[in-house]
């Protein structure tokens, strides 16, 4: 019998990417989907394989939810807080797959990234674990690129500088970034094509615009277009942001490290739309040749691609514009650092909405469907 899968938050940004990927892979043929809504129950759901899913269910209807074998939610942390514990407290024993971070710190929740921790996921299922949570996007994208080095226990520590897209903050932030970009273009559109304006005139017009009262900053609080924001999420201890803290905590939880690997970051929002990039400084435990390092990285999974450290390859293959809307995980700029032969740099790019969010959830659902 086909399993019943409740889908919540499928209309949001991550949810829409998830549904699109599930359609592409024909996942819907393998289970019985029920579409839930927190606000529009009763109305029509999506059209999939020519079937219109009518009569959206109420996402707070515990009696209906408890009939599901699996619930997959991209609705966000508040929904998880509201509904997950209620369902568990009445004895619901189904599988819960979640995009939100709320449950990641719980001991009985597994952070999922199956190309990296498939064995741990399977063991957990066999041990009766029922709660599976997608990882932080930056962490998942780092692990997809560096998993070969992690799994061969070659990493002593990593220092990461991130370049994170607006999508990581949410759909409204993408729109605001685009409004900011449009505003800047509009303010100089005539001057750009008129040689009587000097470049300083043009820069001054931009500066005046980003400092003007009507520059759109409702979401970011400050301009991001033509700027960057070196702070993501809330403040933690020791000067870290929560985004930076997650790097070490989640990586070690995903890898089930016996001796936690030291990872710290400086996380920065930039004006990319949906790709996170990361620059790594890595201290290896051994002095390995670059060729050896590249082999280890590229042999780990089919999505990671080692990009030769040339200008042409880097420009063509190692940028957000090259990677956006693909499952490709390029990693390049791999070189030894002058500080010592165990120190290397590397740079990776990944789509924040695919491997950073939707893809691990989709794959987890398939894993459970095929049990
Ligand atoms: N917290 C991440 C960001 C996205 O703000 O870019 C989700 O993991």
């Amino acid at each position: 019998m086909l399993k019943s899968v409740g889908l919540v938050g499928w209309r949001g940004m991550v949810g829409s990417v998830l549904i699109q990927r599930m359609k592409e892979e024909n996942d819907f043929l393998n289970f019985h989907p029920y579409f839930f809504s927190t606000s529009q129950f009763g109305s029509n759901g999506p059209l999939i394989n020519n079937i219109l899913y009518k009569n959206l269910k109420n996402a707070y209807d515990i009696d209906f939810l408890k009939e599901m074998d699996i619930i997959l939610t991209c609705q966000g942390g508040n929904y998880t807080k509201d509904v997950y514990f209620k369902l568990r407290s009445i004895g619901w024993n189904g599988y819960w797959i979640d995009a939100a971070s709320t449950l990641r710190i719980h001991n009985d929740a597994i952070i999922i990234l199956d190309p990296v921790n498939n064995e741990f996921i399977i063991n957990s299922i066999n041990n009766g674990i029922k709660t599976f949570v997608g990882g932080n996007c930056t962490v998942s994208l780092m692990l997809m690129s560096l998993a070969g080095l992690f799994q061969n226990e070659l990493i002593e520590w990593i220092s990461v500088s991130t370049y994170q897209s607006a999508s990581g903050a949410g759909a409204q932030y993408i729109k605001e970034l685009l409004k900011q970009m449009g505003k800047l273009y509009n303010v100089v559109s005539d001057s750009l094509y008129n040689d009587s304006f000097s470049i300083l005139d043009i820069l001054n017009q931009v500066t005046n615009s980003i400092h003007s009262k009507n520059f759109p900053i409702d979401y970011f609080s400050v301009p991001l277009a033509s700027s960057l924001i070196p702070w993501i999420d809330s403040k933690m201890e020791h000067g870290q942001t929560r985004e930076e803290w997650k790097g070490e905590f989640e990586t070690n939880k995903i890898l089930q490290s016996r001796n936690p690997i030291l990872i710290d970051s400086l996380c920065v929002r930039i004006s990319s739309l949906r790709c996170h990039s990361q620059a790594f400084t890595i201290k290896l435990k051994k002095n390995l040749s670059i060729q050896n390092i590249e082999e280890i990285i590229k042999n780990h999974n089919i999505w990671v691609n080692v990009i030769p450290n040339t200008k042409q390859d880097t420009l063509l293959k190692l940028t957000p514009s090259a990677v956006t809307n693909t499952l490709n995980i390029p990693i390049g700029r791999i070189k030894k650092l002058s500080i010592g032969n165990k120190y290397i740099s590397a740079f990776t790019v990944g789509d924040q909405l695919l491997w950073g969010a939707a893809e691990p959830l989709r794959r987890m659902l398939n894993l459970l469907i095929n049990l």
Side-chain angles (χ1 to χ4, degrees), residues 93-261:
N93 204 21
Y95 290 105
W96 178 273
I97 306 175
D98 204 328
S101 62
T102 318
L103 301 173
R104 286 186 203 140
I105 51 169
H106 288 234
N107 286 337
D108 55 0
I110 304 302
I111 305 181
I112 48 174
L113 187 64
D114 70 281
V116 174
N117 67 350
N118 187 55
E119 200 182 317
F120 177 48
I121 293 172
I122 302 287
N123 288 341
S124 306
I125 294 170
N126 292 338
N127 289 332
I129 294 285
K130 301 278 181 174
T131 304
F132 297 92
V133 189
N136 168 267
C137 43
T138 317
V139 171
S140 298
L141 295 171
M142 172 184 70
L143 281 170
M144 287 299 290
S145 67
L146 291 179
L149 297 178
F150 277 112
Q151 288 195 334
N152 286 286
E153 300 191 7
L154 290 168
I155 295 178
E156 187 168 320
W157 55 252
I158 310 185
S159 168
V160 190
S161 302
T162 74
Y163 307 79
Q164 298 185 218
S165 60
S167 61
Q172 295 302 335
Y173 292 77
I174 300 180
K175 290 186 184 170
E176 185 167 276
L177 172 60
L178 289 168
K179 286 179 196 162
Q180 292 185 358
M181 289 171 165
K183 192 109 187 157
L184 293 186
Y185 177 72
N186 287 340
V187 83
V188 295
S189 60
D190 291 337
S191 337
L192 288 177
Y193 299 98
N194 181 341
D195 287 341
S196 65
F197 286 92
S198 73
I199 193 63
L200 279 189
D201 292 333
I202 292 171
L203 286 173
N204 285 338
Q205 285 172 322
V206 167
T207 305
N208 290 340
S209 176
I210 64 173
H211 291 155
S212 71
K213 282 211 172 68
N214 61 0
F215 200 70
I217 54 164
D218 292 345
Y219 288 91
F220 282 115
S221 317
V222 289
L224 180 60
S226 87
S227 187
L228 55 77
I229 306 173
W231 188 283
I232 296 178
D233 212 334
S234 51
K235 188 176 185 337
M236 300 283 284
E237 285 179 6
H238 313 301
Q240 276 183 320
T241 65
R242 182 169 292 276
E243 186 77 358
E244 290 155 3
W245 170 83
K246 284 175 180 173
E248 185 170 286
F249 170 77
E250 291 193 19
T251 301
N252 284 300
K253 183 163 178 178
I254 290 170
L255 295 173
Q256 285 295 289
S257 317
R258 272 163 299 158
N259 302 312
I261 300 160

